[in-house]
Amino acid sequence: MTIGNSIPIICTLNDAEFRARERKVLQTIKAAYTEAKETDNGYAFRFPSEDDSFAMLNGFIVLERRCCPFLDFHMTVPRGDGEITLELSGDDGAKAFIAANFVK
């Protein structure tokens, strides 16, 4: 397991088909969130409390973990109809990467 700043802030995948699929998922994510809030080490994004949002976010996390292993993911799915929150964070440099790639 790699810990701390030893994971570079770069995408590690180069497969063109994967990158095209990731771009489509990223566009969907950007269009779906209702709020982006800056945190100490990244951003927290709010999504509607719907099954489609939950499924989309799970797929997004699977893809992003493969290409951006320097990111930490924390998804909160509250009981009832509360909005889903996805927090993206990481070590030094990750916050700027998140802002550039995920914030509208």
Side-chain angles (χ1 to χ4, degrees):
M1 178 178 193
T2 306
I3 298 175
N5 292 328
S6 59
I7 300 175
I9 308 291
I10 58 169
C11 180
T12 59
L13 298 177
N14 296 318
D15 179 82
E17 185 177 328
F18 177 84
R19 298 299 296 163
R21 189 174 77 177
E22 182 191 33
R23 276 192 297 277
K24 183 177 180 179
V25 169
L26 184 55
Q27 288 172 350
T28 303
I29 291 290
K30 282 181 163 181
Y33 72 76
T34 59
E35 178 185 18
K37 189 173 188 178
E38 190 173 343
T39 65
D40 289 340
N41 298 320
Y43 285 83
F45 301 91
R46 290 184 169 259
F47 294 86
S49 179
E50 300 170 351
D51 289 346
D52 289 345
S53 293
F54 183 69
M56 172 188 59
L57 290 170
N58 279 303
F60 168 74
I61 292 169
V62 168
L63 291 173
E64 287 302 308
R65 285 187 70 214
R66 289 182 59 200
C67 73
C68 300
F70 55 87
L71 290 176
D72 292 317
F73 302 88
H74 181 84
M75 186 164 52
T76 303
V77 183
R79 62 182 156 220
D81 292 332
E83 290 185 310
I84 298 168
T85 302
L86 176 64
E87 293 181 46
L88 300 177
S89 61
D91 291 327
D92 293 341
K95 187 174 188 175
F97 176 87
I98 296 163
N101 290 283
F102 301 104
V103 178
K104 296 178 196 177

